[in-house]
Amino acid sequence: MNIIETHNLTKTYAGFTAVSDLNLHIPKGTVYGFLGPNGAGKSTTMKMFLGLTKPTAGDFVIDGKRYPKDRIQILTEVGSFIETPAFYGNLTGEENLDIVRRILCLPKSAVDDALKLVGLTQWKKRLAGKYSLGMKQRLGLASALIGRPPILILDEPTNGLDPVGIHEIRTLIRSLPDRFDCTVLVSSHLLTEIELTADNVGILNRGRLLFEGTLEELKQRAEENGYPADKLEDTFLTMIEEDNMQRGGVQ
């Protein structure tokens, strides 16, 4: 069963097509790795799911609810982390999360629960403006996780983290479907992390979907086409390069 599906989803800006006829199928209870070079359309797609930008054409369904008719209901089921999270710098990490808690009408215990999940408990009284980039990323992830939503949309959640932090967040993301019966859509430029985290992947380039399926299916596709198949990064780079060549070079 797919919890997210898109149907010819398209977004154009003044003649530039950021996302073109996108048909995604994200199975329920999985970690889905959304891959593509900068400008491929990953963030734009995620913003459409969250109602932050309107599709030019096509539509999507999230947990049986169709956009735009069920936009509000969709948002109540989705926790998100898009690009660099924004917080009130003059409030503590705890106070920032408490604002989210009150908006979502959650119990007070939800704040401590979310802080513990991302390893920020000991810094919860520090002003968010004093947080390092990595700590801000963790706070953004805590904000997405608060209330344990059934769907998580995470855009580059390990940006700014050191290797230990990346490992911790990767392990957390990998555990979420089993722990909380949720589905995670995660983008990252760290392909080795996706390889260790995701069940399924979608590869996007210049707005178009080049591949969707399990990592094993991607490996099979690579072998059939004579691409490097041992590492996701090598397969990915070869697919992107070939697609750019077919389109007449990078624009």
Side-chain angles (χ1 to χ4, degrees):
M1 174 186 172
N2 295 321
I3 198 165
I4 299 177
E5 289 190 5
T6 70
H7 308 113
N8 297 322
L9 192 63
T10 299
K11 180 65 180 181
T12 60
Y13 298 95
F16 169 72
T17 301
V19 177
S20 178
D21 292 320
L22 184 63
N23 292 292
L24 290 180
H25 308 83
I26 300 177
K28 184 176 182 179
T30 61
V31 176
Y32 186 104
F34 203 26
L35 305 176
N38 289 338
K42 305 185 300 299
S43 294
T44 300
T45 301
M46 291 175 159
K47 287 177 180 177
M48 284 191 279
F49 289 161
L50 296 168
L52 298 175
T53 188
K54 292 183 179 180
T56 306
D59 63 8
F60 58 86
V61 175
I62 295 182
D63 198 17
K65 301 167 181 66
R66 187 174 297 276
Y67 180 91
K69 181 172 71 75
D70 303 317
R71 183 176 68 87
I72 300 301
Q73 293 97 312
I74 287 171
L75 291 177
T76 63
E77 294 192 23
V78 178
S80 64
F81 177 111
I82 301 293
E83 296 177 341
T84 304
F87 298 104
Y88 296 104
N90 61 332
L91 299 180
T92 66
E94 182 180 46
E95 289 168 338
N96 272 281
L97 284 187
D98 196 57
I99 293 172
V100 179
R101 176 195 71 79
R102 283 182 280 169
I103 290 171
L104 297 176
C105 301
L106 298 170
K108 289 185 177 181
S109 60
V111 172
D112 282 338
D113 183 40
L115 288 165
K116 184 177 180 181
L117 271 175
V118 301
L120 275 182
T121 300
Q122 70 183 100
W123 296 286
K124 67 181 182 180
K125 300 294 186 183
R126 180 179 295 184
L127 294 180
K130 301 290 187 181
Y131 276 11
S132 67
L133 176 58
M135 291 168 72
K136 288 177 181 176
Q137 294 293 104
R138 289 175 184 269
L139 190 59
L141 192 53
S143 181
L145 287 166
I146 197 168
R148 301 183 182 181
I151 302 161
L152 282 163
I153 295 177
L154 309 176
D155 190 14
E156 302 280 1
T158 57
N159 264 3
L161 297 179
D162 60 23
V164 172
I166 290 172
H167 172 76
E168 290 172 352
I169 297 304
R170 177 220 305 158
T171 302
L172 172 62
I173 290 171
R174 177 65 265 173
S175 73
L176 289 172
D178 287 337
R179 289 174 67 185
F180 302 137
D181 190 27
C182 66
T183 304
V184 184
L185 170 61
V186 56
S187 75
S188 178
H189 67 281
L190 300 175
L191 301 185
T192 52
E193 292 305 310
I194 292 295
E195 198 164 18
L196 293 168
T197 305
D199 302 295
N200 292 60
V201 295
I203 297 177
L204 201 64
N205 187 42
R206 291 160 69 178
R208 293 184 184 176
L209 191 66
L210 303 185
F211 173 84
E212 181 182 61
T214 66
L215 288 169
E216 185 58 36
E217 288 168 343
L218 177 60
K219 184 175 182 178
Q220 291 174 359
R221 168 81 71 85
E223 290 172 344
E224 289 168 3
N225 287 279
Y227 300 159
D230 291 337
K231 291 183 179 180
L232 174 60
E233 184 171 7
D234 293 339
T235 304
F236 169 83
L237 291 172
T238 303
M239 290 182 74
I240 297 299
E241 182 179 2
E242 181 170 286
D243 184 58
N244 286 335
M245 290 285 287
Q246 289 175 353
R247 298 187 199 212
V250 179
Q251 297 179 358

